[in-house]
Amino acid sequence: MTTTNPLLQFDRPIAFDAIRPEHVTPAIDELLAAANAALERVVGPDVPADFDAMSAVLAVATERLARAWGAVGHLSHVADTPELRAAHAENLARVTEFYTRQGSDERLYAKYKAVAVSPGAATLSAPRRQALSHWLRDFKLGGADLTGEAKARFAQLQDRMAELSQAYSNQVLD
């Protein structure tokens, strides 16, 4: 990963003072590519339906994306500039699309359901059982059980909700 971009430095606390609008899109490009690759890998045959194996693949990529996007969102609320607002707006739909797609991915949902009914599920620690329970709940809330037109409509609503939320935040800032 690029070490000069503060949004891509994960070995230290977030350097909010070093983040510039021009860092946002390149970081999000890289992090979305990594998250998409992780999602495709975890649903593939090489990763078993095992809590630890799946977490090892997916958690790092998605946590990095969430960390960087969270920093951008935070800065857009406390140090708003037209350039930062534009960078945030430019990437909002892409980040929302990834999380909507991940949260409704039938393949990933099927793997987590397989983990839940596996013999190993009973041996998971309490925090991991709760995390698994939350994943399954979030898949249902994310539309993973929906099909066809209902699933497409749900994705449209998620995009629209993100747009409206950002517009509201911008109006409050203004």
Side-chain angles (χ1 to χ4, degrees):
M1 287 197 179
T2 309
T3 58
T4 58
N5 188 327
L7 291 169
L8 298 174
Q9 296 172 345
F10 301 104
D11 59 339
R12 60 192 81 142
I14 299 170
F16 287 99
D17 61 330
I19 298 171
R20 303 287 174 259
E22 59 269 15
H23 294 136
V24 176
T25 297
I28 298 303
D29 287 347
E30 189 169 324
L31 294 169
L32 279 173
N36 279 311
L39 177 59
E40 289 306 312
R41 183 167 170 242
V42 80
V43 298
D46 295 339
V47 178
D50 173 80
F51 186 91
D52 291 336
M54 293 170 63
S55 293
V57 173
L58 198 54
V60 172
T62 56
E63 286 299 317
R64 286 182 171 181
L65 175 60
R67 182 179 191 246
W69 188 242
V72 172
H74 175 72
L75 281 176
S76 73
H77 288 97
V78 300
D80 185 46
T81 65
E83 297 80 15
L84 183 59
R85 188 177 288 196
H88 186 272
E90 177 183 336
N91 291 284
L92 178 63
R94 296 183 322 133
V95 173
T96 301
E97 186 276 331
F98 171 78
Y99 282 115
T100 299
R101 190 167 33 84
Q102 177 193 356
S104 65
D105 190 297
E106 298 97 355
R107 303 165 304 166
L108 187 57
Y109 185 34
K111 275 209 171 174
Y112 275 106
K113 287 193 295 189
V115 170
V117 298
S118 73
T123 64
L124 291 174
S125 65
R128 287 183 175 166
R129 278 194 312 274
Q130 184 167 10
L132 179 58
S133 172
H134 287 188
W135 267 104
L136 293 171
R137 177 205 62 208
D138 292 348
F139 275 110
K140 286 184 184 244
L141 294 174
D145 286 334
L146 299 174
T147 57
E149 192 174 311
K151 186 173 218 128
R153 178 73 176 136
F154 181 83
Q156 289 174 338
L157 291 172
Q158 289 294 98
D159 289 343
R160 182 69 176 139
M161 192 165 65
E163 290 171 14
L164 291 172
S165 177
Q166 186 56 44
Y168 177 80
S169 292
N170 289 343
Q171 297 232 353
V172 169
L173 284 171
D174 291 343

